[in-house]
Amino acid sequence: MRTIYFDYNATTPLDPQVRAAMLPFLDEVWGNPSSVHHVGRRARALLDDARDRSAAVLGCKGSEIVFTSGGTESSNLAIFGTARLLREKGRHLITSSVEHHAVLQCFDYLERKEGFSVTRLPVDATGRVCVDDLRRALRPDTTLVSVIAANNETGTLQPVAELGALCRERGVLFHTDAVQWFGKEPFTNIHQFNADLVSICAHKFHGPKGAGALFIRSPLHPDPVQFGGAHENERRAGTENLPAIIGFTDALERFVRVPVFERTHLAPLTARLLAAVDGIEGARFRGSREHRLANTISFTVAGTDSIALMAVLDLEGVCASSGSACAAGSLEPSHVMLAMGAPAAEANALVRLSLGRASTAAEVDTLCALLPRVLRQVRRA
Ligand SMILES: Cc1ncc(COP(=O)(O)O)c(C=O)c1O
């Protein structure tokens, strides 16, 4: 059966060169970086080297990087760690209504269980937050704002640098979940987000799963969320996963400064998909035509649901998604679609097509040709 993999926002295949860089760390370099003997010291030296290399790409100090198990952990550490650190200063937090669950559920928990109050900023029909809404929402007791850089379901880009600048002016910490952003948008320096905390994840840009980082702007030192050791400068206890850290570092060096998701390759492909979607009755593009990742096109289909849509596309060999991977297989309406004003009946009928470096014009042609028929079929059913 043919496979058309249009789900690069869920994950990307491990790059062969990144894999090769990792292999010695699954084999001969197996020491614990915390051990004082020479086997451990060798691992420590290579861990320190990976931190320096990552810092060189990000344009920050090595001490400003905490290696984590990926995007979810990075955002959990950023949010719980800073909200709790500053709880005596204030208990008001701000996020947006279109965050990934890895962010959303941290705020829900802090509100439900720890007495914080949370403002969730609305978005417009394209999924964008308005800077003035943030300005109005900031209070004297606000300690943290967290807004996603690029939305995983729609690819909509937020004005993070402006949001971050406003927070800085008001003395409020700013975190951005940039998991979908790295490797897709032009990157010069971690400071371009004007953020104090930035979540990054390797498997979205051809690195290994279970590998990521949290940038923490010096001298901020969030409360740890896991305990049991002084690793990562007392910010993340647990023996370091050196193969994953090497894979993260190698992928960061290869695929971020010059994004591996090349706009010149992907924008024409998604433009054709968008034109096809625009021409299908009952299908409606959801997202921003102007401010979006070049690889992502999302649309809803009236009169059906995501499970039926994914199933029928899969039968044709097309791997798409109904939004966030963790919502796959569930009929929960997408909170992102609801926040963007989609009718409830369409909020669980989302198709996300996310292309990547191996995507071809022929694959796009195939999908454009079969989409009208498949959507008719699933709507009739
Ligand atoms: C925007 C966003 N944040 C966080 C995550 C979670 O990252 P990880 O799978 O590394 O935990 C994802 C993954 O889908 C994501 O798209």
Side-chain angles (χ1 to χ4, degrees), residues 160-373:
V160 269
E162 288 159 77
L163 298 169
L166 174 60
C167 290
R168 196 155 291 172
E169 190 187 300
R170 299 290 186 86
V172 174
L173 292 179
F174 181 62
H175 165 248
T176 186
D177 169 353
V179 161
Q180 290 291 347
W181 195 97
F182 275 85
K184 297 193 178 103
E185 286 293 302
F187 178 78
T188 42
N189 189 297
I190 197 78
H191 301 291
Q192 74 192 70
F193 299 109
N194 292 326
D196 302 283
L197 303 127
V198 181
S199 298
I200 315 172
C201 151
H203 74 91
K204 306 294 187 186
F205 50 87
H206 300 280
K209 290 160 188 62
L214 177 66
F215 162 75
I216 306 176
R217 188 164 164 258
S218 169
L220 180 62
H221 194 106
D223 279 1
V225 295
Q226 60 193 58
F227 299 87
H231 311 84
E232 296 296 301
N233 219 349
E234 304 195 334
R235 292 166 300 185
R236 197 256 188 189
T239 301
E240 299 85 353
N241 183 351
L242 204 46
I245 290 169
I246 298 298
F248 170 86
T249 302
D250 201 76
L252 195 70
E253 285 180 335
R254 287 178 197 281
F255 300 133
V256 164
R257 263 189 295 233
V258 179
V260 64
F261 289 78
E262 276 177 55
R263 181 168 283 271
T264 49
H265 167 56
L266 295 166
L269 298 183
T270 51
R272 276 159 65 189
L273 286 170
L274 181 51
V277 167
D278 280 340
I280 299 173
E281 202 204 316
R284 180 162 170 192
F285 169 73
R286 301 283 179 184
S288 169
R289 288 174 198 260
E290 203 186 336
H291 304 287
R292 77 173 163 84
L293 296 174
N295 80 316
T296 309
I297 288 291
S298 292
F299 57 97
T300 53
V301 186
T304 181
D305 63 64
S306 301
I307 291 181
L309 287 161
M310 292 310 111
V312 76
L313 285 169
D314 196 32
L315 283 175
E316 300 283 348
V318 179
C319 305
S321 167
S322 57
S324 59
C326 34
S330 98
L331 249 187
E332 287 274 295
S334 151
H335 64 280
V336 176
M337 288 300 111
L338 292 174
M340 288 164 62
E346 282 175 50
N348 63 8
L350 176 72
V351 179
R352 177 189 74 187
L353 303 170
S354 49
L355 281 56
R357 71 172 171 185
S359 302
T360 64
E363 290 177 327
V364 169
D365 287 343
T366 305
L367 184 57
C368 288
L370 65 81
L371 214 43
R373 170 177 59 78

Side-chain angles (χ1 to χ4, degrees), residues 9-11 69-75 99-103 148-153 177-181 199-204 209-212 323-326 352:
N9 286 7
T11 196
S69 64
T72 302
E73 188 192 325
S74 294
S75 291
E99 298 299 307
H100 187 275
H101 284 114
V103 165
I148 192 166
N151 186 268
N152 46 299
E153 293 192 25
D177 169 353
V179 161
Q180 290 291 347
W181 195 97
S199 298
I200 315 172
C201 151
H203 74 91
K204 306 294 187 186
K209 290 160 188 62
S324 59
C326 34
R352 177 189 74 187

